[in-house]
């Protein structure tokens, strides 16, 4: 569904992504993990059309999309839930969801999707008329995901959904991701921590200093210390690498 090859991007003279290859197949939940500054957000922003790559290709559903603007990609089914959620804090939950649905013209199907989203996230039904800024961090994350679902994504990319959340709340957010994936949504999720991801992931990429340093399926990475070693930049004999 998503094919990223040799993707290079940065900020002025700083190259944050240095030739990254990743792919996401239909039906998968793929995680990208890596320490601070590894280039994870830059990767999602470049795929989502918020940044232009300096080299490399991005293919989505068989078509090249590098350089396309976010609105166009969103219409094609590629939707980003950005880091920090970016909800409108002074608007109600209902109004935030309406903003997510603005690109849609199929109002009858939208009403059905809204009902489904409120079934998936019952707390949003309870707080429908409430101010979004009064929601807890976990509830705001659910709102950001719900808003993205109303854009009818085929692939949803989520930047650090567990950021700032308590462990129990992370479990709830991850459970909702599991349900969405079981319902047919393909997911590409960035996380800083490797904790918990193996239960949910189909495959994992570890990103360090703008490079993919490890890729594997969840069962492969559950064995041994390869995931931690790659994350912290150690090779098997304990020596530090890049
Ligand atoms: P984190 O987990 O801290 O969000 P990350 O893996 O998402 O890290 P990026 O945010 O992609 O990493 O950052 C990659 C590199 O690009 C870092 O060196 C960072 O300092 C730099 N960077 C990120 N955003 C900008 C920006 N707007 N302007 C200049 N440099 C930036």
């Amino acid at each position: 569904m998503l094919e990223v090859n040799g993707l290079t991007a940065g900020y002025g003279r700083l190259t944050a992504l240095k030739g990254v290859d990743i792919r996401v197949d239909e039906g998968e939940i793929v995680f990208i993990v890596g320490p601070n500054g590894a280039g994870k957000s830059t990767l999602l922003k470049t795929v989502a059309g918020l940044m232009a790559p300096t080299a490399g290709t991005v293919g989505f559903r068989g078509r090249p999309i590098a350089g396309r603007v976010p609105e166009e990609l969103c219409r094609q089914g590629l939707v980003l839930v950005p880091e920090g959620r970016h909800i409108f804090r002074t608007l109600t939950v209902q109004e935030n969801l309406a903003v997510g649905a603005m690109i849609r013209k199929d109002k009858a199907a939208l009403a059905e999707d809204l009902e489904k989203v409120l079934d998936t996230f019952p707390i949003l039904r309870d707080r429908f008329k409430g101010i979004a800024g009064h929601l807890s961090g976990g509830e705001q994350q659910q709102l950001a995901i719900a808003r993205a679902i109303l854009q009818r994504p085929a692939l949803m990319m989520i930047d650090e959904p567990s950021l700032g959340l308590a462990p129990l709340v992370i479990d709830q957010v991850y459970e909702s991701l599991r349900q969405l994936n079981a319902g047919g949504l393909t997911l590409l999720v960035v996380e800083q921590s490797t904790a918990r991801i193996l239960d949910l992931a189909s495959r994992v990429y570890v990103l360090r200093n703008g490079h993919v340093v490890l890729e594997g399926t969840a069962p492969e990475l559950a064995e041994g210390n390869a995931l931690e070693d790659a994350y912290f930049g150690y090779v098997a004999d304990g020596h530090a690498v890049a």
Side-chain angles (χ1 to χ4, degrees):
M1 179 174 273
L2 182 75
E3 232 5 285
V4 172
N5 286 308
L7 199 67
T8 303
Y11 307 88
R13 281 192 299 177
L14 179 105
T15 305
L17 287 184
K18 301 165 185 165
V20 167
D21 300 337
I22 63 157
R23 67 164 219 283
V24 181
D25 297 333
E26 191 157 356
E28 285 191 310
I29 305 187
V30 172
F31 275 83
I32 296 176
V33 292
N36 252 321
K40 307 180 297 294
S41 297
T42 305
L43 174 58
L44 292 196
K45 285 190 283 186
T46 308
V47 170
L50 293 164
M51 286 176 64
T54 49
T57 59
V58 184
F60 178 58
R61 295 167 131 179
R63 290 199 194 150
I65 59 157
R68 298 280 160 82
V69 296
E71 292 73 20
E72 191 185 339
L73 296 178
C74 198
R75 282 201 182 81
Q76 291 181 20
L78 183 64
V79 172
L80 171 67
V81 179
E83 185 176 345
R85 291 136 206 169
H86 293 213
I87 62 157
F88 298 101
R89 298 177 59 84
T90 57
L91 300 185
T92 64
V93 167
Q94 180 178 20
E95 288 163 342
N96 269 275
L97 293 172
V99 171
M102 248 163 32
I103 62 161
R104 297 203 27 197
K105 307 231 181 323
D106 53 337
K107 297 300 170 198
L110 174 60
E112 262 177 45
D113 285 353
L114 178 62
E115 279 308 304
K116 275 193 222 152
V117 153
L118 295 175
D119 287 343
T120 308
F121 301 106
I123 190 70
L124 300 182
R125 194 188 289 282
D126 297 348
R127 306 284 168 84
F128 200 55
K129 302 278 183 193
I131 298 295
H134 295 169
L135 298 177
S136 70
E139 290 161 1
Q140 290 186 17
Q141 184 64 65
Q142 293 179 40
L143 175 57
I145 294 170
R147 187 177 58 183
I149 291 169
L150 293 183
Q151 297 173 356
R152 288 221 145 160
L155 171 62
M156 189 189 288
M157 303 190 290
I158 314 180
D159 198 348
E160 294 204 45
S162 71
L163 188 71
L165 303 183
L168 265 177
V169 184
I170 297 173
D171 288 344
Q172 288 166 9
V173 170
Y174 273 26
E175 180 49 35
S176 59
L177 296 184
R178 188 194 301 280
Q179 282 177 29
L180 292 170
N181 179 248
L185 181 63
T186 307
L187 291 162
L188 176 60
V189 186
V190 152
E191 282 290 15
Q192 203 176 103
S193 162
T194 57
R196 293 183 170 77
I197 64 166
L198 289 179
D199 283 346
L200 195 57
S202 319
R203 285 183 303 110
V204 178
Y205 292 91
V206 180
L207 200 63
R208 276 187 68 81
N209 294 329
H211 295 281
V212 171
V213 293
L214 183 72
E215 182 214 335
T217 64
E220 281 164 4
L221 298 180
E223 299 284 322
N225 299 324
L227 181 59
E228 284 71 26
D229 287 347
Y231 185 98
F232 290 109
Y234 290 93
V235 291
D237 63 358
H239 285 99
V241 293

